[in-house]
Amino acid sequence: HPQSRPVREESTMAALWVCFPANVLFGRGARAITVTCRRHVRALRRRPVQVIYPKEKAKEPEPKAAKWRVYTPRPSATGEEQAGLLPQDLRYDKAAPGDRRLAKVVTIAKSRKFRERHGKVLLEGRRLICDALEAGAVLQTLFFCTVEQLHELPTAKLKGVNLIKVKSEDLQLWSDVVTTQGLMGIFSRPDHTNINYPVIQQKNSLPLSLICDNIRDPGNLGTILRSAAGAGCNKVLLTKGCVDAWEPKVLRAGMGAHFRVPVINNLAWEVIPNYLSSSTRVFVADNGNLHTTQPEPYISRKASDYGWVSCHLQMKGKGQGQLPNDSLNSDEETESSTDEESESSNKVSRPELSVQTCYEQWAGSSTAIVIGGETHGLSNESLQLAESSGGTRLLIPVVPGVDSLNSAIAASILLFEGKRQLQLQKVLA
């Protein structure tokens, strides 16, 4: 192309004309020679480049912070509502794909600080949401994928609720489970005094309470609550140091137990006696083979042989000896306790409690069981409470050398053994 082909520009800086007498240099008949010196410069002929900017897109307004409100019905009904797919007086909003406001709200609802500060909890799944609604929990916002899923819920309790239809792909991003059930609700945090517990649960309630001490695994706590509801426990008390009972993983493992048995969260040991009657005897869970006959020089160095008891405190009792110093080398105990706590705790002696197997008679008219976490075990306050109430250490016999049972399994064994003893007393009476 002519525009892109390199051309030569002549520079006539100097033109040399050689003119000599022809007969002098070249002889007769010679002609004069004209020499022209030219400098050739290679260059590209360029044209100014026009920069074309893309058309500016209209900036979309940033979404405002989500403010949950009671949704007012729209004046016109959609096609699904006219076709009868939605119950009357129910309207919903359709969220845009990837709505950041909804994702932000769901993310914040999973935070413990948000739950405690604003009093909101997140429930996922049809069964858990149905149990909460039947118990009288206040539903504020419900996310769902299909209209048919609303028919699986008590529609009479959905009036005035902010209903938002989202795509299953978006709901899957917010969910903690592998496959979402398509329902997720934000509730006001229930209080045990305002929950309507099932009548059948109240009829089968037993004078048996459970105290959880330093249960930090969500799966274990959820299983313990589920076993407590199945055994007919009248209440569950959670001390400070336990995982939040309204953690999503605890809720899933509990399978609705939060709405069947009163769960009182984040209690200090000083107020625990306020939730128990004056005649309540407190028993602590134990595990191992301390009561078995062992040779004189034998000293167990396994934590399981000392039950769910914190290893950093000395144990003093009949036939129990002192806790070996090697158990102080636990990495988990070292990381979780400061040097000052360990120095002061080494000077404290464990209360002396008699030991009995869990199969001997111990359940009475008012009984409480303390179960400790697997890592930190029972606190000194729990043993002092058991000693002051006349309780004992309940031993779950295991084969010597076997590690301690899972705390959820131990709690289940003791709860159902207590239930068996109470029912047997009722029959014999």
Side-chain angles (χ1 to χ4, degrees):
H1 195 275
Q3 295 181 358
S4 60
R5 182 183 302 169
V7 297
R8 294 180 178 179
E9 295 182 356
E10 297 180 359
S11 176
T12 58
M13 296 179 58
L16 177 64
W17 293 87
V18 181
C19 300
F20 297 98
N23 55 359
V24 176
L25 297 177
F26 303 102
R28 187 179 298 273
R31 297 181 180 180
I33 300 174
T34 302
V35 179
T36 304
C37 297
R38 297 179 180 180
R39 176 177 292 180
H40 301 280
V41 179
R42 298 177 60 88
L44 292 177
R45 182 175 298 173
R46 299 176 180 176
R47 289 185 179 181
V49 179
Q50 182 180 3
V51 180
I52 301 177
Y53 294 93
K55 296 182 180 180
E56 295 183 358
K57 297 182 180 180
K59 294 183 179 181
E60 300 180 356
E62 296 182 358
K64 299 181 180 179
K67 296 181 179 180
W68 300 115
R69 55 183 174 81
V70 177
Y71 184 74
T72 55
R74 295 193 298 266
S76 60
T78 62
E80 292 180 346
E81 294 165 356
Q82 294 176 355
L85 296 179
L86 269 182
Q88 295 181 356
D89 300 332
L90 286 184
R91 304 292 185 270
Y92 67 87
D93 283 335
K94 188 175 181 180
D99 195 327
R100 295 182 179 180
R101 295 173 301 172
L102 306 181
K104 182 178 180 181
V105 171
V106 175
T107 302
I108 294 177
K110 296 179 181 180
S111 171
R112 180 169 185 172
K113 292 183 178 180
F114 182 87
R115 292 193 300 267
E116 295 177 350
R117 182 178 304 175
H118 300 281
K120 299 180 185 296
V121 295
L122 182 66
L123 305 183
E124 183 177 0
R126 181 191 64 82
R127 178 173 180 177
L128 196 57
I129 293 177
C130 286
D131 291 342
L133 292 174
E134 293 295 338
V138 179
L139 176 60
Q140 297 182 353
T141 304
L142 179 66
F143 304 123
F144 65 96
C145 295
T146 62
V147 178
E148 289 76 9
Q149 292 173 336
L150 295 179
H151 292 278
E152 301 176 358
L153 304 177
T155 56
K157 297 182 180 295
L158 297 181
K159 295 182 179 180
V161 177
N162 191 14
L163 304 176
I164 302 178
K165 184 179 180 181
V166 298
K167 290 186 176 181
S168 59
E169 295 82 4
D170 295 335
L171 200 63
Q172 184 65 49
L173 294 176
W174 306 334
S175 175
D176 289 335
V177 298
V178 177
T179 304
T180 179
Q181 300 183 26
L183 288 172
M184 187 180 295
I186 296 180
F187 287 76
S188 297
R189 183 165 181 164
D191 187 79
H192 69 280
T193 58
N194 300 328
I195 296 180
N196 301 322
Y197 298 103
V199 178
I200 188 66
Q201 188 75 26
Q202 298 179 14
K203 289 182 178 180
N204 291 273
S205 180
L206 300 173
L208 188 62
S209 303
L210 180 64
I211 303 175
C212 295
D213 184 15
N214 276 326
I215 303 294
R216 301 186 179 184
D217 183 80
N220 283 345
L221 182 57
T223 305
I224 289 173
L225 296 179
R226 188 175 179 182
S227 298
C233 212
N234 59 11
K235 70 174 71 70
V236 179
L237 308 178
L238 305 182
T239 63
K240 291 183 178 180
C242 291
V243 65
D244 185 19
W246 299 102
E247 182 80 18
K249 293 182 180 179
V250 180
L251 289 165
R252 288 198 302 270
M255 294 294 292
H258 295 70
F259 307 104
R260 291 184 170 274
V261 58
V263 180
I264 308 173
N265 204 14
N266 200 25
L267 296 177
W269 278 104
E270 292 76 13
V271 300
I272 291 290
N274 298 337
Y275 294 90
L276 304 174
S277 62
S278 58
S279 60
T280 301
R281 293 185 64 191
V282 179
F283 298 85
V284 295
D286 197 0
N287 181 48
N289 54 2
L290 294 177
H291 68 293
T292 58
T293 303
Q294 297 289 353
E296 286 291 337
Y298 176 80
I299 298 178
S300 174
R301 296 185 180 272
K302 297 187 68 63
S304 61
D305 293 339
Y306 295 90
W308 290 281
V309 179
S310 299
C311 297
H312 63 277
L313 293 181
Q314 294 180 358
M315 184 183 302
K316 182 174 66 176
K318 296 180 179 180
Q320 298 173 7
Q322 300 293 332
L323 191 63
N325 294 329
D326 291 350
S327 62
L328 299 176
N329 297 328
S330 175
D331 294 336
E332 296 180 355
E333 292 294 338
T334 304
E335 296 176 356
S336 62
S337 61
T338 61
D339 295 338
E340 295 179 358
E341 292 176 347
S342 61
E343 290 178 2
S344 60
S345 60
N346 286 331
K347 301 178 182 179
V348 180
S349 298
R350 288 291 185 176
E352 296 185 7
L353 295 176
S354 60
V355 181
Q356 68 176 90
T357 61
C358 62
Y359 304 113
E360 301 176 23
Q361 183 64 36
W362 53 271
S365 58
S366 183
T367 308
I369 305 173
V370 182
I371 184 72
E374 299 176 26
T375 302
H376 300 277
L378 292 168
S379 62
N380 195 40
E381 292 82 359
S382 64
L383 298 178
Q384 292 175 353
L385 181 61
E387 183 184 33
S388 62
S389 64
T392 63
R393 297 170 60 183
L394 298 179
L395 178 69
I396 302 178
V398 295
V399 176
V402 177
D403 286 337
S404 60
L405 298 177
N406 179 275
S407 58
I409 299 298
S412 302
I413 293 174
L414 296 179
L415 287 173
F416 281 94
E417 174 60 24
K419 179 180 180 179
R420 185 192 68 81
Q421 294 182 11
L422 291 173
Q423 290 180 341
L424 182 61
Q425 294 176 13
K426 187 177 180 180
V427 172
L428 296 178

